[in-house]
Amino acid sequence: IEVTKRDGIFVVTGAKVLRLVQSVNFDDYESLQYFQKMLGTLGVSEALQQAGVQEGDTVSIYDFEFEFVE
């Protein structure tokens, strides 16, 4: 998992994260909950925090963008 900051947006990349994004239906509540859980399991949340993400910052994981909340 790699986290970079581009134009004020934290960009997350990596093979495991890509597979996760491809497997989630972002229009389905349960699928979205699974996605959020897996971000922690895969270490994405920790990697973002190590990169300096703050509450309210924008995070981009491939084609999905969201506001970071702890």
Side-chain angles (χ1 to χ4, degrees):
I1 295 169
E2 184 177 345
V3 178
T4 55
K5 190 172 182 182
R6 290 187 217 138
D7 300 323
I9 297 174
F10 288 86
V11 179
V12 180
T13 56
K16 290 180 182 180
V17 178
L18 177 58
R19 281 194 302 275
L20 174 63
V21 169
Q22 291 172 335
S23 72
V24 171
N25 174 359
F26 291 102
D27 294 324
D28 178 70
Y29 180 74
E30 289 180 9
S31 190
L32 190 55
Q33 283 186 312
Y34 170 78
F35 175 75
Q36 291 171 329
K37 177 183 175 187
M38 289 305 296
L39 290 182
T41 301
L42 293 175
V44 174
S45 299
E46 183 178 330
L48 283 165
Q49 290 172 340
Q50 289 176 354
V53 73
Q54 299 291 316
E55 183 119 5
D57 286 345
T58 301
V59 176
S60 176
I61 301 179
Y62 294 95
D63 290 335
F64 184 66
E65 282 193 2
F66 60 94
E67 191 173 289
F68 183 80
V69 292
E70 292 197 49

